[in-house]
Amino acid sequence: MGPVVLSLPISTSSEHLEALASVSNFGRTDMGYPGQGPWTYCILPETSLDEKIIDMSGAKSYSFGVDAASLQPCLSYAFRSQDRYFTEEWDLPSGRWIFNLVLDGHLNHDTVDYIVQKLPKVIEDALRALTLKKLYIEPGYISEMLRSSIQQLDDNLTSQVLNLSPENMSGKVRTSADDTPSKFPDAELIAQSLGGATLVLSLTDLRGNLWIANLGDCRAVLGQRQSRRWSGSQITSVHDLNNPEELLRVTQEHPGEANVVKDNRVIGFLEPTRGVFIFYPGINITLILTIQALGDTWLKIPASYASRMYKNVKQPWISPKQFEDYALRILTPPYVSNIPDVHHLTPQTPYFLLLGSDGLMSTARYNGMNATQVLEHWVDILGSAIDSKTETNVNAALCLLRDILGGDDVDMVSRNLTVEMDERWVDDITLLIQTVRMG
């Protein structure tokens, strides 16, 4: 049988133009990493950008004055967002309270999911118990309640892990064929305690009180309107080894330990002091960036215990041999603090509060700007959005997210949303913005 010959019609001029048009809205980029890529991305029309961001971030406005958005544009399941947020209005005997929480998880999803499910309820129950005793509560009691609620949740998680094998508190390792993760009575608990999360939260009442608590590298920015002009300040500090106070705290808590700070990381592993993965495209480096966090239990318990409980748990971020090496450096745990900073404020003018994960700074949008310039820019963006809310239905979180992705630079926004990379090219970005108008 002879070969089969197919006859294909010659394309017309109009078909050629249609083919060219189908690829004309695509570009290629190295995403700021010279010599890598290039990767393809879709150039989106300006008219559809906001709709695309809303669809990908789930941007939402709540009736009690909070706007929210959370984005991880990488579509790979392995790199889905580890950020979580929670916002809710509570009607208590003392009146209406608004609670906001942003969490930035690391290492896995189990820990951050556990915290977002448990912490809001813990705080609401504690606040309700206080307000049942008296309608007016001294602000200091609320501050201490927030601090203790966060610590107790983490301490309870650690206690549950230690209770799996109480005899190991002596530091002696029991060697047994049963000492494998699959034999542990609660594999879910092991996963929940292995990962970690940083957080920032806020609580407001009808008397004008504002409480902010943070642990790690999430941030809170307060913007206030005075004489028709907005000004702002960052309320929280970042808990990592670039913070001189945190570096001093860590070294003083572990005197004489050669490896307590190694390569600008706690025990050579953890760069932050009170937890985030940053993935560098095309580079096989993963850094954890906080030394204050909830979870990360293996850095809070004796080395022999941590090694037995966790070293054989399969994780993409560390091999069993590496885990064993790091565990040997655990001499005087804990190395990660669960003690949050708590701030009490009483703003006297209309204000907005921005709570965000550290991904707010993970794009190239603010290259060349210092921290003060970025803060002032955010305040201008959010102030304008909030002022326009009296006339239009504007989501302030969406406005700031658009700016973080590139602002008016359609090409940059398109790249950040659609570049076809296998690993994530920006960190998870989560924003909660509460507006309090007063009067």
Side-chain angles (χ1 to χ4, degrees), residues 97 123 126-127 130 137-151 201 203 209-214 339-345:
W97 298 72
I123 291 176
L127 183 60
L130 286 174
I137 310 162
E138 290 291 338
Y141 286 106
I142 303 294
S143 297
E144 182 55 35
M145 178 274 293
L146 291 172
R147 185 178 294 109
S148 62
S149 294
I150 293 169
Q151 288 182 258
L201 64 80
L203 184 66
N209 291 293
L210 165 64
W211 291 267
I212 299 167
N214 78 292
I339 302 174
D341 291 339
V342 180
H343 309 266
H344 172 248
L345 304 168

Side-chain angles (χ1 to χ4, degrees), residues 104-106 198 217 272 275-278 287-290 358 424 427:
D104 185 344
H106 52 261
T198 62
D217 52 8
V276 268
F277 270 164
I278 292 187
L287 300 179
I288 301 179
L289 303 181
T290 66
D358 74 316
R424 61 180 180 177
D427 197 6

Side-chain angles (χ1 to χ4, degrees), residues 26-74:
F26 285 89
R28 307 191 81 190
T29 177
D30 64 5
M31 290 300 288
Y33 298 93
Q36 299 187 45
W39 296 279
T40 302
Y41 66 98
C42 179
I43 305 170
L44 301 169
E46 167 65 43
T47 53
S48 67
L49 277 182
D50 285 349
E51 183 179 342
K52 181 74 171 178
I53 297 172
I54 292 172
D55 181 61
M56 295 181 70
S57 70
K60 184 176 180 180
S61 294
Y62 293 82
S63 60
F64 43 87
V66 175
D67 294 335
S70 186
L71 176 70
Q72 174 45 254
C74 182

